[in-house]
Structure formats: C-alpha cells, structure tokens
Amino acid sequence: MFRKTVIPVSYLPSARQILDWGARLTRQLHSDLTVLYVSETKQRGPLNLSVTNEKMSEWGVEPPSFKVLREAEALIKAAGALQLDAQGRGVERHAFKALSRELGEVHLKGPQGEDVRLRLREGPVVAEILKEVADPGYDLVFIGTRGRRGLRRHLLGGIAHEVALNAPCSVLVAKTLDRAQAVLVGVTGRASSTEAVRQGAALARSMGLPLRLLAIGARPEQRQAAQAHLDAARVLVEAQGQTAEALLEAG
C-alpha cells in the first residue's frame, strides 16, 4: 500500500513518538523511509553541506542538524527499522554526503533491504518539505503536530496544516498517538473516500490499532445514503481480512 514514507522532524524530543510509530509502520509494510530535518539557518563556512563529512570530523565540529539526524537514527534503530552489522551498527549504503548545496543524506539499509535515508535540507521549512515530497516516489507523509490554535498557530505557520493542504501525496497528521486509540476514517460516496478507507485500513492493520468508519447524514434521506456508503466501506475492509466498527451520526 505505502511504498515510500517521509517523516519530517523538527524539535526531536517532541518527535520521538512519531519517529517510533513511523519506523514501526514502515517496518511492518516493508516500505522505504526518509527522515527529513529542515534547517532554516543556512550553514556557512565549515558547516556548509558542500564540506565533506570527513573534513568535518577532522575539524571536530558538528552542526546541531547533524546531532538531530544521529539521534533520529538511534530512535529508528531502537524500533527495529534498520539492518545492523556484526557490531550492532546500522548498515550504510553510504555515509553522509552532500547531494546538492541544500541537501545531504545518510543512506542506510532497512531490515529487508529497504532504503532508509536520513536527510538534511536547508531553507524555509514548509517549502523544503514540499520540495522533498515532490518526488513522485513518496506516497505518505507522516507528520506530527502539537495542535496549536489561534494566533500561536498563525504565527508559527501551521507547518502540518500547510503540508497537508499542498503535498501531492497522502498526509497522516498525528497529534497524539496512543495504543488505546483507533484509526477513524470518514466515509462518503466519493472515489477519494474509497481510497481513504483502503489506506486507513492498511495503517490500522500495520499499527495494530482498531479501525472505525464514520458516515454522517443529517436528514433521513441523507442517513439512508450514508448507511449505504458505510456498508460498502465495511465490505471493502472485510475483503482485506479486517473488521471495523461502523458509526452513523446524524450530524
């Protein structure tokens, strides 16, 4: 279902949970994973991405963005989403290298040979995330939010909101993640709703979470149509060997 997922991270302590869930999800689906950190501060001189990793080690310097990527690697390793060598280190396809002036990456192997990339971009956060997911290979962005509202949300730019509106692929926005919660999928008669049911079912199965289907009909004739859509969605889920709780609300 999902072949290639990107997880944008910013302040790592707040991203630990989404990295853990995202790594476990991609491990279950055997999909490729990119962890993306965007630095809004352009690195100058010896910290510029055009400088090789060997030279940086020689100078004994490490920009904060590199520290974030190293900690992200440790988190996805703990989630079992990396192939390890005899010393218990992640198996590299290549060490950190600059792919362009604003983009660098470490390329690792997943447990089944999947591509696991730890990427660093420089520039405006939303623009760089959207630049990354413009790659047609991506089919899921897994992004967290702290759920800010009102003026604080406006001033902080609503990164998850902007990505969800403008990304060309599916976006999963996670505010809180709890094993006691379920994946809720809204059901309508649209073709996009059918795809949402398929993807929601795949996510629920991979994460080991219950699945709930929700349809809304305010008036009697709308409730009849909503029930029909709900029944069709449940048949689709059951055809994949899953079960789902079906909810019909009056709105």
Side-chain angles (χ1 to χ4, degrees):
M1 178 68 71
F2 298 110
R3 299 159 301 165
K4 188 175 181 180
T5 299
V6 59
I7 305 177
V9 297
S10 52
Y11 180 58
L12 199 59
S14 65
R16 289 181 181 277
Q17 193 178 36
I18 196 164
L19 270 173
D20 178 65
W21 279 68
R24 294 176 190 278
L25 171 64
T26 55
R27 185 191 66 192
Q28 291 292 326
L29 296 175
H30 304 297
S31 62
D32 296 338
L33 170 64
T34 298
V35 177
L36 175 67
Y37 177 77
V38 179
S39 173
E40 291 188 280
T41 303
K42 291 285 187 178
Q43 308 291 353
R44 300 297 182 187
L47 302 188
N48 191 281
L49 288 181
S50 62
V51 179
T52 66
N53 192 41
E54 292 79 10
K55 190 66 175 178
M56 294 182 73
S57 298
E58 178 185 327
W59 287 334
V61 295
E62 181 182 60
S65 51
F66 277 44
K67 182 178 180 181
V68 171
L69 292 182
R70 285 196 300 104
E71 293 179 356
E73 179 182 357
L75 288 171
I76 60 177
K77 173 185 172 182
L82 288 181
Q83 187 177 137
L84 305 179
D85 62 18
Q87 287 73 44
R89 297 172 298 194
V91 176
E92 292 183 345
R93 295 191 191 274
H94 64 68
F96 185 88
K97 70 176 181 180
L99 303 181
S100 70
R101 188 174 179 83
E102 288 82 25
L103 172 64
E105 72 169 19
V106 176
H107 192 176
L108 304 164
K109 287 185 179 182
Q112 304 298 321
E114 303 91 344
D115 289 319
V116 178
R117 292 180 168 88
L118 304 172
R119 283 195 158 185
L120 169 63
R121 283 185 173 273
E122 292 181 338
V125 174
V126 172
E128 291 301 320
I129 293 174
L130 294 176
K131 188 183 296 184
E132 178 70 30
V133 301
D135 178 345
Y138 286 116
D139 42 29
L140 179 66
V141 181
F142 194 9
I143 189 168
T145 178
R146 282 178 273 183
R148 293 186 174 92
R149 299 177 181 274
L151 181 60
R152 291 182 70 198
R153 178 182 177 280
H154 175 72
L155 292 175
L156 291 166
I159 293 173
H161 177 74
E162 290 298 320
V163 171
L165 285 178
N166 296 290
C169 59
S170 296
V171 179
L172 176 60
V173 179
K175 182 177 178 181
T176 57
L177 295 168
D178 190 325
R179 291 289 179 188
Q181 295 178 330
V183 174
L184 180 66
V185 180
V187 176
T188 68
R190 299 175 182 173
S192 58
S193 173
T194 300
E195 185 59 25
V197 171
R198 291 183 190 277
Q199 294 191 13
L203 287 169
R205 181 174 61 251
S206 299
M207 293 179 171
L209 298 174
L211 176 66
R212 292 180 185 145
L213 306 173
L214 173 66
I216 298 175
R219 296 190 297 272
E221 65 274 15
Q222 292 174 326
R223 285 196 292 275
Q224 185 176 4
Q227 184 63 59
H229 299 322
L230 201 58
D231 292 341
R234 186 158 48 185
V235 168
L236 179 61
V237 170
E238 290 174 351
Q240 299 180 38
Q242 291 179 256
T243 59
E245 180 183 1
L247 306 172
L248 178 62
E249 298 288 342

